[in-house]
């Protein structure tokens, strides 16, 4: 999909460039036609120009590709930490590139011919002066601004909510708010200056000093509304894509270290990994290492169901570890008191639900087989739930307990590594009263498991491999097990074999590579497409302003006739250009950063993400200032001096 998207984007962008270029050459074509050239002659001329442009671009592109592709491969493998990536130039890639260029060439040629065919001599000459003249309304800017602000606030509140059940209203608002924001921005861009004019009329001194600038801007923003709106969306999309991919990539080490509260963790379950602390320390010491920290947490994994309201139960069961309050207090150095019949939920700080509003809820814990799920589906009523009476009837043959939330319903704490597979689920837990834990343990003795958490000294890879070998021998496992790393998870058809293989210890250094190996290409494509869109937005803005040069010359001539000096005219035009160049940057920058703040709000490194995003916007602003100054000088030279 990424490749197809790039091809489509290239065709659309080049189509726009062709249209803008033809419009910019309007008077040139008009002169040719008045001298006797026909539309057929013009089409042939543009066709030959396209051949030269595409041909030279293809040659330069292929040569530069040969030169820089090896550097690109090296950077790609370095960033994504891919070993053994061999650089080769395949003839299929060259043919594909030539084929894409040929398609783009045909499309642009057809578009050029159609564009020239549809206009007359007079229309070609005046094409650069055509504008969308819609009369602005006084209060449209204010109303649209208020609508956008309201929609932004509502969307932010909706995204920060956490509830078991989504209502029709919240689901509808999540779709309506973005639509209001998009439409409101379009209306605001074209009508904002008119609203500002009406406000400034109350202050005659300010209004009279800036009346010419305000009138010109009101006309330009209205006529450029579509272009400024599109460029703003392009910039916002580019910032989101770049920062989304960069932040997820750049914060992986920090997120992993916050999630992995220990260097190594493994689970003792069903007779596997049954070792003592002394045994583990001895094997690591024999390999030359030192255990800097070792702790164990006993728990019972149970099936947990949330109560919805007073009479319904969610059919979605989660595997939740149950930990006694004494074990929790010992491990976390706390003094929490949980009353009988209550629980406190522990959530890992790296959980994706961090930052969302969590409402206290009652929970039913039990342990059952898969037959229960079939009964649940048959009794389902609405919102993926069953009536409480039906639920009690379904699980009556299984021992179960109803727990109410403690006065402290939940805590964000790193009790264990946030991780799950077919063997276990860790990270979160229910902390219950010691007496409740013992009662549950008597019923589910065979389900008791233990987290082993280890912190090591330097050269951790060596000691981890020693631990793997020791545990394989302890479990009587052959070489077909535990040969994979975290991001190389093997799928077995045999569930028992899958369970045993998933009991392999997890290791922080491997975990840092896991998301990079899984999503590295996705991050890279997002970043590349975002950069491409960002560059394209600048080109679109430049072309649009460039096509207004003829109209601007006429306006400069009129201003000089009423007595304005060249210095005053340049100052006025510079102010107008500054607003046209930076309005999309501010709007797009805000949209991009706001989207990032919503989508990645749950990340524990949220502050770092926002600093990175703002830094990128500042950097883009600096680049835009340089681009503005160079474009302004060329624009003023064309407008003021060219005859």
């Amino acid at each position: 999909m990424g490749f197809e998207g790039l091809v489509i984007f290239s065709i659309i962008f080049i189509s726009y460039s062709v249209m803008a270029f033809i419009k910019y050459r309007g008077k040139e074509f008009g002169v040719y036609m008045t001298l006797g050239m026909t539309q057929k002659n013009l089409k042939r001329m543009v066709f030959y120009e396209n051949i030269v442009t595409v041909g030279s671009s293809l040659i330069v592109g292929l040569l530069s590709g040969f030169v820089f592709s090896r550097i690109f491969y090296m950077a790609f493998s370095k960033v994504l930490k891919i070993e053994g990536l061999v650089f080769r130039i395949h003839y299929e890639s060259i043919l594909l590139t030539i084929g894409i260029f040929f398609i783009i060439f045909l499309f642009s040629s057809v578009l050029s011919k159609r564009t020239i065919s549809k206009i007359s001599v007079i229309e070609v000459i005046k094409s650069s002066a055509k504008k969308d003249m819609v009369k602005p309304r006084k209060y449209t800017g204010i109303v649209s601004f208020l609508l956008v602000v309201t929609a932004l606030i509502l969307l932010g509140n909706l995204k920060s909510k956490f509830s078991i059940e989504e209502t029709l209203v919240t689901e509808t608002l999540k779709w309506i708010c973005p639509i209001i924001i998009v439409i409101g921005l379009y209306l605001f861009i074209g009508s904002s200056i008119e609203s500002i004019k009406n406000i400034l009329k109350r202050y005659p001194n300010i209004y009279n000093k800036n009346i010419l600038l305000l009138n010109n801007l009101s006309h330009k923003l209205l006529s450029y509304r579509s272009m400024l709106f599109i460029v703003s969306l392009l910039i916002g999309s580019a910032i989101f894509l770049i920062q989304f991919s960069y932040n997820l990539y750049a914060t992986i080490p920090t997120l992993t270290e916050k999630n992995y509260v220990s260097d190594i963790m493994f689970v003792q379950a069903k007779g596997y990994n049954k070792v003592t602390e002394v045994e583990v320390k001895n094997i690591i010491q024999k390999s030359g290492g030192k255990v800097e920290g070792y702790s164990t947490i006993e728990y019972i994994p149970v099936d947990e169901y949330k109560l919805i309201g007073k009479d319904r139960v969610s059919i979605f069961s989660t595997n939740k570890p149950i930990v006694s309050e004494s074990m929790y207090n010992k491990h976390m150095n706390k003094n929490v008191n949980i009353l009988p019949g209550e629980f406190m939920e522990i959530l890992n700080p790296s959980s994706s639900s961090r930052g969302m509003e969590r409402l206290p809820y009652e929970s039913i814990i039990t342990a059952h087989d898969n037959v229960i799920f079939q009964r649940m589906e048959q009794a389902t009523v609405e919102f993926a739930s069953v009536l409480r009476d039906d639920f009690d009837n379904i699980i009556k043959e299984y021992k179960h307990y109803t727990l109410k939330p403690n006065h402290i319903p939940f805590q964000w704490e790193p009790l264990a590594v946030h991780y799950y597979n077919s063997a276990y689920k860790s990270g979160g837990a229910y902390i219950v009263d010691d007496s409740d834990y013992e009662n549950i343990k008597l019923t589910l003795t065979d389900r008791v498991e233990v987290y082993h958490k280890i912190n090591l000294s330097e050269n951790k890879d060596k000691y981890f491999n020693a631990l793997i070998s020791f545990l394989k021998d302890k479990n009587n496992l052959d070489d077909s097990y535990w040969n994979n790393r975290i991001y190389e998870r093997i799928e077995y058809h045999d569930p028992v074999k899958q369970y045993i293989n998933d009991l392999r210890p997890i290791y922080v250094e491997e975990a840092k590579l896991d998301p990079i190996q899984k999503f590295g290409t996705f991050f890279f494509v997002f970043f590349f497409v975002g950069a491409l869109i960002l560059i394209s937005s600048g080109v679109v803005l430049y072309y649009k302003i460039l096509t207004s040069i003829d109209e601007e010359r006429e306006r400069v001539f009129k201003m000089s006739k009423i007595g304005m000096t060249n210095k005053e005219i340049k100052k006025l035009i510079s102010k107008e250009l500054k607003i046209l160049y930076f309005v999309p940057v501010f709007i797009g920058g805000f949209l991009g950063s706001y989207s990032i703040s919503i989508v990645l709000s749950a990340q524990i490194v949220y502050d770092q993400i926002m600093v990175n995003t703002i830094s990128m916007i500042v950097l883009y602003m600096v680049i835009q200032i340089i681009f503005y100054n160079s474009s302004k000088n060329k624009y003023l030279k064309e407008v003021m001096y060219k005859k």
Side-chain angles (χ1 to χ4, degrees), residues 213 217 220 228 537-539 541-542 545-546 569-586 619-637:
L213 175 63
L217 281 176
K220 284 199 171 185
L228 293 174
S537 65
V539 175
L541 182 63
Y542 176 75
I545 293 175
L546 198 65
I569 294 172
K570 285 182 180 180
K571 186 177 180 180
L572 179 65
I573 293 175
S574 297
K575 287 182 179 179
E576 294 171 0
L577 284 177
K578 192 178 295 182
I579 291 173
L580 291 177
Y581 268 90
F582 291 101
V583 162
V585 175
F586 283 112
L619 176 61
Y620 178 61
M621 188 76 70
V622 172
I623 295 172
Q624 188 74 351
I625 290 172
I626 297 171
F627 181 54
Y628 157 74
N629 285 320
S630 62
S631 302
K632 179 192 73 174
N633 294 333
K634 181 178 180 180
Y635 187 81
L636 288 174
K637 186 177 180 181

Side-chain angles (χ1 to χ4, degrees), residues 270 283 352 383 421 443 450 551:
K270 296 183 179 181
I283 199 66
S352 59
F383 296 116
N421 54 31
T443 307
V450 180
E551 181 191 13

Side-chain angles (χ1 to χ4, degrees), residues 579-599:
I579 291 173
L580 291 177
Y581 268 90
F582 291 101
V583 162
V585 175
F586 283 112
I587 295 176
F590 173 77
L591 289 177
S593 58
Y594 180 82
S595 302
I596 288 291
S597 69
I598 293 292
V599 175

Side-chain angles (χ1 to χ4, degrees), residues 22-23 26 29 33 39 42 113-125 127 130:
I22 290 176
K23 188 174 182 180
F29 289 161
M33 295 180 77
Q39 288 184 346
L42 283 176
K113 289 183 178 182
R114 287 175 59 89
T115 304
I116 295 174
S117 298
K118 289 183 178 181
I119 52 180
S120 64
V121 178
I122 297 176
E123 287 174 334
V124 172
I125 295 173
S127 60
K130 286 188 175 181

Side-chain angles (χ1 to χ4, degrees), residues 7-211:
V7 174
I8 294 171
F9 176 81
S10 299
I11 292 174
I12 294 173
F13 178 69
I14 290 173
S15 300
Y16 176 84
S17 300
V18 169
M19 295 288 291
F21 194 55
I22 290 176
K23 188 174 182 180
Y24 175 64
R25 298 175 67 187
K27 286 195 173 180
E28 178 189 344
F29 289 161
V31 171
Y32 290 155
M33 295 180 77
T34 55
L35 293 175
M37 286 187 71
T38 63
Q39 288 184 346
K40 185 177 180 180
N41 298 136
L42 283 176
K43 291 175 186 177
R44 185 183 296 112
M45 181 185 73
V46 172
F47 178 75
Y48 290 146
E49 288 176 352
N50 286 340
I51 290 177
V52 174
T53 302
V54 172
S56 57
S57 300
L58 179 60
I59 294 170
V60 172
L62 287 174
L63 291 176
S64 59
F66 294 152
V67 174
F68 294 107
S69 54
R70 186 174 183 84
I71 300 174
F72 174 82
Y73 261 73
M74 292 172 61
F76 185 79
S77 59
K78 182 74 174 177
V79 170
L80 301 185
K81 297 179 172 61
I82 300 175
E83 298 178 0
L85 188 63
V86 180
F87 170 72
R88 291 190 183 94
I89 297 177
H90 298 278
Y91 73 91
E92 295 94 338
S93 301
I94 299 174
L95 293 177
L96 182 62
T97 303
I98 295 173
I100 293 172
F101 263 78
F102 183 69
I103 293 172
I104 294 174
F105 165 70
L106 289 179
F107 192 84
S108 60
S109 298
V110 171
L111 186 63
S112 301
K113 289 183 178 182
R114 287 175 59 89
T115 304
I116 295 174
S117 298
K118 289 183 178 181
I119 52 180
S120 64
V121 178
I122 297 176
E123 287 174 334
V124 172
I125 295 173
K126 293 184 177 181
S127 60
S128 61
K130 286 188 175 181
K131 300 292 173 185
D132 302 321
M133 294 308 299
V134 180
K135 186 178 180 181
R137 298 186 179 181
K138 292 182 179 180
Y139 304 107
T140 303
I142 297 174
V143 173
S144 58
F145 176 77
L146 293 175
L147 283 173
V148 169
V149 171
T150 303
L152 288 169
I153 294 172
L154 279 175
L155 190 60
N157 288 334
L158 288 171
K159 290 294 183 180
S160 66
K161 299 293 181 184
F162 178 87
S163 60
I164 298 170
E165 175 183 350
E166 292 283 1
T167 65
L168 180 62
V169 175
T170 57
E171 284 295 324
T172 304
L173 285 174
K174 285 179 181 179
W175 286 99
I176 290 177
C177 285
I179 295 173
I180 292 175
I181 292 170
V182 171
I183 296 175
L185 281 175
Y186 179 77
L187 295 174
F188 175 74
I189 290 172
S191 306
S192 56
I193 297 299
E194 195 66 23
S195 299
I196 292 172
K197 281 171 60 179
N198 286 312
I199 295 172
L200 291 180
K201 283 179 180 178
R202 300 177 183 180
Y203 308 95
N205 290 335
I206 300 175
Y207 179 76
N208 291 333
K209 287 181 180 179
N210 297 280
I211 187 170

Side-chain angles (χ1 to χ4, degrees), residues 211-271:
I211 187 170
L212 186 58
L213 175 63
L214 291 171
N215 285 331
N216 288 334
L217 281 176
S218 179
H219 161 73
K220 284 199 171 185
L221 288 181
L222 190 62
S223 59
Y224 288 6
R225 175 171 57 186
S226 298
M227 181 274 296
L228 293 174
F229 173 71
I230 291 172
V231 171
S232 298
L233 292 184
L234 286 174
I235 293 173
S237 301
I239 290 173
F240 175 79
L241 290 173
I242 292 172
Q243 283 303 307
F244 181 80
S245 56
Y246 172 74
N247 280 308
L248 289 182
Y249 173 81
T251 58
I252 283 171
T254 305
L255 282 172
T256 305
E257 288 171 2
K258 289 182 179 294
N259 177 28
Y260 276 67
V261 291
S262 51
D263 295 328
I264 299 172
M265 189 186 85
F266 64 89
V267 172
Q268 175 184 323
K270 296 183 179 181

